[in-house]
Amino acid sequence: MHIKGRKARYTVSAVALAGVAALALSACTTSGSTSGSTAATGGTVTVAVVNDLTSLNSQTPQGNLDTNGQVGYLNGSYGTGFQYIDNNFKIVHDDKFGKYEKTSDDPLTVKYTLNKNDKWSDGQPITADDLVLGWAIASGYYDSATLDDEGKVTSGTQYFSIAGSTAGVDATAFPTVGDDNTSITLKYSTPYVDWELVNPIAQPAHIVAKKAGLSSAADLTKLLKGLPKGDKSSPAAPDATLKKAADFVNTGYDITAFPTDKDLLVSSGPFYVSAWTPGQSITMSKNKYYDGGLKPNVDKIVFRIIPDANAQVTALQNGEVDIINPQASADTLTALKATSAKVLTGDQVSYDHLDLNFGSTVFQDPKVREAFLKTIPRQQILDSIVTPVNPKAEVLNSQIWLPSQDDYAASVKQNGSDKYNKVDIEGAKALLAGATPSVRILYNTNNPNRVDEFQAIQASAAKAGIKVEDAGSPDWSTLLPGGNYDASLFGWISPGAGTTQIPQLFSSAGGGNYNRYQGTNDLAIKTQTTLDTDELVKLEQQIDKQTFADGYGLPLFQLPGVFGVNARVDGVKYMGNQNGPFWNFWEWSVKSSSK
């Protein structure tokens, strides 16, 4: 395992497309860590999380939730495999799982070679067939679909549905398989800025093949190799077997109870899901076949579902959980500091935001969009939620950058966000010219911060004659892709590296483009092939400016982060990305006297 020098330039962020770091739906960076001389093995670590499990595939639009992604991080279906991102937002290669290297710049060519001992948790070998499937999911190679403004297929076929974007990986040809079926080589027809984040490990090919009616992973590769690249201008009839395989990957991992079908639990990572009681806990046990570099000390990791921050602190104090990562508030910090727990704090690469649904009837009129956004009391929301935790926090005025990042200030000067610096009720009334529109807002009713945001917006908008209706739900994350609302309040949390988040959000085919925004499609796609840093910043600034001009929505604030860790667990270090405290699970240990 070795560290590469590449680091995040900027961040925003629900989770990732197959194999490429992307944004995930989420429930001052100072670094801190718990440390100790004991490196005991065995035992169980229990971690409190806000959201429950909804899918064992976090890389679909409906599965793109922080808890799903953290489970995926532990079982190898997201964020681990050939590499991971450390808490300095550097890309770390795990050469014990497999090596990858750029073998040519022109054309860009990258070779991935698996460790010969890599196995799935059911004992089956991990092979190039698995890498070919991961590539097929990430690249959209076989898609021939034309989409309308609402993202619906009007002609052709879309096979795999991903939370991120195919931009970048879509410039690859069918992989070259070699080294006795343990390697693939990807050749790009255009440059790709985030090639080093491509991680072609997703679902097990032998399981996907079985669900599609094939006898082996090799048969699935043979099918994929024999099918032509999708052509929007002349779409072929859908291949029934590939469609069946894709449908399984897209929805077959969505669960409401612990699966009776054990095929869904097969893992390539250090852990696999061994139990789940919905609404209460998820248990992950060590995968005895795992042979990568992230071998854990502990035998089990248990997720306890505790949405309320104060209840998390109480559970930590009572010894019911070992680690908490609640939404930070002044009350939470005060309560935590009154315990004996280690408190780790820092910024998150995460932000709350209000998005307008461009598929909604009420927001077809740009004047209504602007009027509604003029009523959003962003400073009031910041002061009530964030300022008590971070007095230096400020309203977020960019859709691309966070305040601590180098290019933030320059973009804010040019992006037109100053139009919404203050609540302007009279300006909103003038734009509405007597109209009294209704706006239905989707948000998480189990999240106190989102409830507060909704109520503040509802009260302010009413002053301009806008009726804000409550479309909140505890099932908000599964409702986001459906678009049955006018606006949404939620958070993005980022992996902290790369640029693939931009087409994920701001291109028409982006898996995170839940609000059906079309205004920056070409610019967003172009960011993936722009290697010149200055030119890339210019593209990002154009996107930032265009989204404000179009009334895309409003960023609210960057989220502060806090971990609480009790004394029985060593090795936890602060991390501000979507993996939170789980990011270095292999370094955790339970003190031998307290297993």
Side-chain angles (χ1 to χ4, degrees):
M1 197 187 311
H2 63 280
I3 295 178
K4 289 294 199 181
R6 182 154 175 233
K7 193 174 178 181
R9 292 181 47 260
Y10 77 96
T11 50
V12 289
S13 201
V15 174
L17 84 166
V20 183
L23 307 182
L25 300 167
S26 74
C28 58
T29 299
T30 56
S31 62
S33 67
T34 62
S35 60
S37 57
T38 304
T41 58
T44 297
V45 174
T46 303
V47 185
V49 296
V50 172
N51 292 307
D52 202 354
L53 186 68
T54 66
S55 181
L56 294 169
N57 183 359
S58 66
Q59 301 187 45
T60 63
Q62 78 279 6
N64 188 23
L65 184 67
D66 51 5
T67 300
N68 297 340
Q70 288 161 348
V71 168
Y73 187 70
L74 297 176
N75 72 19
S77 64
Y78 160 72
T80 50
F82 285 93
Q83 81 281 85
Y84 66 92
I85 297 169
D86 73 8
N87 62 341
N88 292 311
F89 303 115
K90 291 182 179 179
I91 300 167
V92 184
H93 289 209
D94 181 3
D95 289 346
K96 290 184 179 179
F97 180 85
K99 296 182 179 180
Y100 70 110
E101 60 178 340
K102 181 170 61 174
T103 59
S104 171
D105 282 312
D106 188 16
L108 173 62
T109 307
V110 184
K111 183 177 181 180
Y112 299 80
T113 305
L114 290 159
N115 178 331
K116 63 181 180 180
N117 296 321
D118 289 332
K119 291 182 180 179
W120 294 96
S121 59
D122 61 358
Q124 292 296 309
I126 300 174
T127 69
D129 297 314
D130 298 298
L131 305 185
V132 170
L133 173 61
W135 163 83
I137 294 170
S139 66
Y141 182 85
Y142 302 98
D143 291 347
S144 59
T146 297
L147 308 179
D148 64 15
D149 288 348
E150 294 190 2
K152 295 178 181 178
V153 176
T154 57
S155 65
T157 305
Q158 182 176 23
Y159 288 102
F160 297 101
S161 177
I162 58 175
S165 166
T166 61
V169 189
D170 63 354
T172 53
F174 188 89
T176 300
V177 175
D179 299 294
D180 196 25
N181 207 36
T182 63
S183 74
I184 66 168
T185 299
L186 297 182
K187 185 178 290 187
Y188 292 77
S189 60
T190 59
Y192 181 36
V193 65
D194 283 340
W195 69 267
E196 199 178 353
L197 283 167
V198 176
N199 188 2
I201 287 287
Q203 285 66 46
H206 67 286
I207 298 298
V208 175
K210 176 182 174 182
K211 301 304 182 184
L214 298 170
S215 60
S216 69
D219 286 341
L220 180 58
T221 298
K222 184 178 179 181
L223 170 72
L224 294 171
K225 190 172 183 179
L227 292 175
K229 180 176 174 63
D231 184 355
K232 290 183 180 181
S233 64
S234 181
D239 180 85
T241 306
L242 180 55
K243 192 71 171 63
K244 195 171 182 180
D247 288 347
F248 170 69
V249 171
N250 293 342
T251 62
Y253 287 88
D254 297 346
I255 54 176
T256 57
F258 185 66
T260 56
D261 181 359
K262 302 309 179 188
D263 287 346
L264 300 183
L265 306 176
V266 176
S267 160
S268 65
F271 290 91
Y272 68 96
V273 176
S274 55
W276 177 40
T277 303
Q280 296 184 37
S281 65
I282 308 156
T283 300
M284 301 196 71
S285 298
K286 192 182 292 187
N287 171 13
K288 66 180 180 180
Y289 291 107
Y290 176 72
D291 199 47
L294 310 183
K295 289 186 177 179
N297 297 311
V298 301
D299 292 330
K300 291 184 179 180
I301 295 177
V302 176
F303 293 58
R304 276 283 308 279
I305 318 303
I306 307 177
D308 183 76
N310 292 328
Q312 286 197 16
V313 175
T314 300
L316 183 70
Q317 192 168 18
N318 293 343
E320 298 170 42
V321 301
D322 301 302
I323 303 169
I324 66 173
N325 179 202
Q327 288 215 337
S329 70
D331 291 343
T332 302
L333 277 173
T334 299
L336 258 179
K337 288 176 180 177
T339 72
S340 59
K342 178 79 173 181
V343 180
L344 309 177
T345 61
D347 285 336
Q348 292 190 66
V349 285
S350 173
Y351 65 97
D352 271 25
H353 53 100
L354 171 75
D355 292 352
L356 306 191
N357 184 356
F358 280 66
S360 162
T361 303
V362 70
F363 287 133
Q364 295 305 300
D365 185 344
K367 289 184 178 180
V368 177
R369 296 199 296 270
E370 183 179 347
F372 179 56
L373 295 180
K374 281 181 176 293
T375 71
I376 308 304
R378 295 195 295 159
Q379 187 66 49
Q380 175 190 334
I381 290 169
L382 179 82
D383 289 343
S384 66
I385 295 175
V386 183
T387 303
V389 182
N390 179 8
K392 296 181 180 179
E394 57 188 83
V395 168
L396 182 60
N397 281 316
S398 173
Q399 300 282 8
I400 302 291
W401 287 280
L402 296 174
S404 59
Q405 294 164 342
D406 292 341
D407 298 302
Y408 176 80
S411 192
V412 170
K413 286 181 180 179
Q414 61 87 43
N415 67 11
S417 60
D418 55 350
K419 183 188 296 186
Y420 304 109
N421 278 351
K422 295 181 179 179
V423 172
D424 182 5
I425 300 300
E426 293 307 313
K429 286 180 177 179
L431 287 164
L432 292 171
T436 56
S438 294
V439 176
R440 299 177 68 251
I441 299 182
L442 175 68
Y443 66 97
N444 182 5
T445 52
N446 284 341
N447 185 322
N449 284 358
R450 306 279 156 69
V451 173
D452 289 348
E453 290 165 13
F454 170 79
Q455 291 175 346
I457 291 169
Q458 185 181 50
S460 183
K463 297 174 183 177
I466 300 172
K467 181 182 179 181
V468 172
E469 298 178 1
D470 192 335
S473 170
D475 299 319
W476 65 280
S477 66
T478 58
L479 297 173
L480 263 175
N484 188 25
Y485 51 86
D486 302 310
S488 56
L489 281 166
F490 63 100
W492 284 119
I493 185 163
S494 170
T499 63
T500 197
Q501 301 96 328
I502 294 177
Q504 181 188 359
L505 300 187
F506 301 118
S507 71
S508 57
N513 186 1
Y514 299 118
N515 56 335
R516 295 161 171 78
Y517 176 64
Q518 306 289 315
T520 56
N521 181 68
D522 293 344
L523 292 170
I525 297 298
K526 194 173 181 181
T527 62
Q528 301 305 284
T529 58
T530 301
L531 303 183
D532 182 279
T533 302
D534 292 338
E535 288 302 312
L536 182 56
V537 169
K538 289 177 183 178
L539 288 171
E540 292 165 343
Q541 286 183 342
Q542 290 179 60
I543 294 169
D544 209 14
K545 184 174 183 177
Q546 192 65 49
T547 52
F548 281 102
D550 291 340
Y552 173 92
L554 288 177
L556 299 176
F557 54 80
Q558 181 177 7
L559 286 160
V562 59
F563 298 172
V565 186
N566 70 22
R568 70 184 289 271
V569 177
D570 280 326
V572 179
K573 300 175 184 177
Y574 184 77
M575 171 56 130
N577 83 352
Q578 57 203 23
N579 296 319
F582 296 98
W583 81 270
N584 70 330
F585 60 83
W586 59 93
E587 294 182 336
W588 297 356
S589 62
V590 177
K591 291 182 179 177
S592 56
S593 61
S594 56
K595 287 185 184 180

